[in-house]
Amino acid sequence: MREDELRDLVRRSPWLIRALGVVRDCGLPDAWIGAGVIRDLVWGERYGHGFDPSSVRDVDVVFLDPADLSRDNDDRATRRLLASWSDPRWEAKNQAAVHTWYAAKFGGGPVTPLRTIADAVATWPEYATAVAVRLDTDDQIAVCAPHGLDDLLDGVWRRNPTRVDPEVSRQRLARHRPAERWPGVRVVT
């Protein structure tokens, strides 16, 4: 299974295992780490010069709390993570609240409320970043990959059309420069 390939890469990163433990132990509801840090780990190990935690821009933590849709909830969650480990740049976002702010921040039409973490992850910008992981109470790594793991594990940068139009995708591609950062990664437009 491709999930086992990802789990193996995650297990080999003490830094990411520590981050996953912090997220689990902070008690945020249905909390996961996803997006860029997972891509950076996999592509760094498979297509680059290894994974370097010091180059991680931020650690995206997603959680689901339909009882509190306020931006303060995100801030409290981020502070809770920072209190446990101040090293990474944590960025916690309640996925149950995305519909309250997404259109104002990124444009486009209204966003349907997200009911599950899988619903949220399925909307992320590229298929390779539409992946999240978490550490359960038995220290097992759970994987959420609504679009599968092929693009992530096979080094393919491909736009997820769910919420990202071609222009935004081009901007992201220019900003992230995947082919430069990770030789061997293929860009599919």
Side-chain angles (χ1 to χ4, degrees), residues 99-120:
H99 68 282
T100 67
W101 56 264
Y102 189 89
K105 183 171 182 177
F106 295 110
V111 172
T112 303
L114 301 166
R115 305 276 180 229
T116 68
I117 290 296
D119 289 345

Side-chain angles (χ1 to χ4, degrees), residues 41-167:
L41 167 73
V42 173
W43 289 2
E45 291 297 321
R46 289 195 164 180
Y47 304 100
H49 304 290
F51 175 61
D52 179 7
S54 69
S55 69
V56 171
R57 293 178 188 183
D58 57 34
V59 178
D60 292 306
V61 175
V62 294
F63 64 101
L64 199 71
D65 184 2
D68 183 352
L69 303 182
S70 71
R71 292 303 289 238
D72 288 341
N73 195 12
D74 293 347
D75 296 340
R76 284 190 304 273
T78 299
R79 284 193 303 271
R80 189 183 300 177
L81 293 162
L82 280 167
S84 295
W85 187 18
S86 62
D87 181 39
R89 183 171 172 238
W90 299 103
E91 189 170 308
K93 295 282 182 228
N94 180 6
Q95 299 301 285
V98 169
H99 68 282
T100 67
W101 56 264
Y102 189 89
K105 183 171 182 177
F106 295 110
V111 172
T112 303
L114 301 166
R115 305 276 180 229
T116 68
I117 290 296
D119 289 345
V121 172
T123 69
W124 292 355
E126 294 84 33
Y127 290 132
T129 58
V131 176
V133 296
R134 73 174 172 186
L135 202 58
D136 70 18
T137 55
D138 296 323
D139 289 333
Q140 299 301 306
I141 298 166
V143 176
C144 177
H147 300 291
L149 293 169
D150 289 346
D151 280 7
L152 174 64
L153 295 172
D154 295 339
V156 177
W157 176 288
R158 182 187 335 255
R159 173 179 73 96
N160 177 355
T162 303
R163 202 175 283 149
V164 175
D165 65 34
E167 179 56 31

